[in-house]
Amino acid sequence: MRPALPSLTESLGRWEHALMAGDADTYSGQVASRWTRVGGRRVHVRVSTHPVPPEALTVVLVHGLVVSSRYMVPTLLRLAPTCRVLAPDLPGFGRSDPPSRPPESMSGLADAMAEWMEAAGLERAVFLGNSLGCQTLADFAARYPERTVGLVLQGPTMDAEARSVHQQVWRWLSNSQRERSAQMPLLVHDYWEAGLRRFLDSFRMALKDRIEDKLPRVQAPTLVVRGARDPIVPQRWAERVTALLPRGRLAVIPGGTHTLNFAAPLELVRVVEPFLRELQAGAERTPHA
């Protein structure tokens, strides 16, 4: 399997180049790589280079289980004309350096994100996460409310009534049949880079995490977004997540799957943009927001 990796990486590089050029010529050159030193280690961040006014919201995209921010690029491109968008690779994923010790809970990932924000000089932001990224954000927002302007939880895991390896693997396999085929090279590449041990440790950590205990402590306005064809996040669970949030609301995208950020970025951004406008209006009315 290892001898085939260079050709896979080369193919992925060509795919990512085409993706970064966008599905329209106007997106060409609007994604760049940046690096931030955090405690002696490098954190890789994909950033939008589209010019935006100084008062534009900053939106941070948070990736899911074992993958990198690469699959967040379609959403980044859609948000770039109106927001300052950053998509970090969490420590040990994508191009970021691994931590000295792998996190044992979602709090470890949330703390790593707070440390990156501090090093990058980023005081507050709106956060949009997918899948496991939602678990990271729930922990982050509950413990770092001063840094959280608002949240978008797209496909939040883990369903409390399906917290087992068997149920989650079955749901993941069911969903994989519905996602865009172009996503598979990204997943294979990111899983390969992370390694089996990292994958298993992260999966166990995600299963143990009780996001339902943290959601009531999230005070920021939160939009929950579900794809109507997402078997990993059934409607019942999406409604429960929303009900647990003090300031939550739910949007369902017809025909959508689990990774709307990659498979249906236009539809995702269409439901997110009104929410962002509300947050922007609130920030303009609040001193030092």
Side-chain angles (χ1 to χ4, degrees), residues 47-165:
V47 301
S48 62
T49 58
H50 195 291
V52 293
E55 67 274 12
L57 288 174
T58 296
V59 179
V60 175
L61 308 181
V62 182
H63 62 77
L65 179 69
V66 189
V67 293
S68 70
S69 64
R70 186 181 284 111
Y71 84 131
M72 287 291 191
V73 170
T75 294
L76 183 153
L77 292 172
R78 295 292 186 183
L79 289 170
T82 56
C83 302
R84 188 177 300 106
V85 193
L86 303 92
D89 292 338
L90 294 175
F93 301 110
R95 298 176 185 173
S96 291
D97 293 339
S100 57
R101 185 167 51 188
E104 297 179 359
S105 69
M106 303 310 303
S107 294
L109 291 178
D111 289 341
M113 193 161 64
E115 291 166 3
W116 162 70
M117 291 181 70
E118 183 70 25
L122 181 59
E123 293 185 6
R124 305 183 74 208
V126 180
F127 298 89
L128 186 158
N130 168 251
S131 199
L132 176 93
C134 299
Q135 293 177 256
T136 303
L137 288 179
D139 191 284
F140 178 89
R143 295 189 299 114
Y144 296 96
E146 72 283 359
R147 291 193 177 275
T148 310
V149 176
L151 296 180
V152 178
L153 303 181
Q154 194 269 287
T157 51
M158 291 279 181
D159 181 354
E161 295 184 16
R163 193 172 276 129
S164 73
V165 173

Side-chain angles (χ1 to χ4, degrees), residues 263-284:
L266 177 60
E267 292 79 0
L268 173 60
V269 170
R270 278 176 176 164
V271 302
V272 168
E273 281 184 332
F275 178 68
L276 295 179
R277 286 195 292 269
E278 290 181 24
L279 294 177
Q280 180 72 68
E284 291 172 353

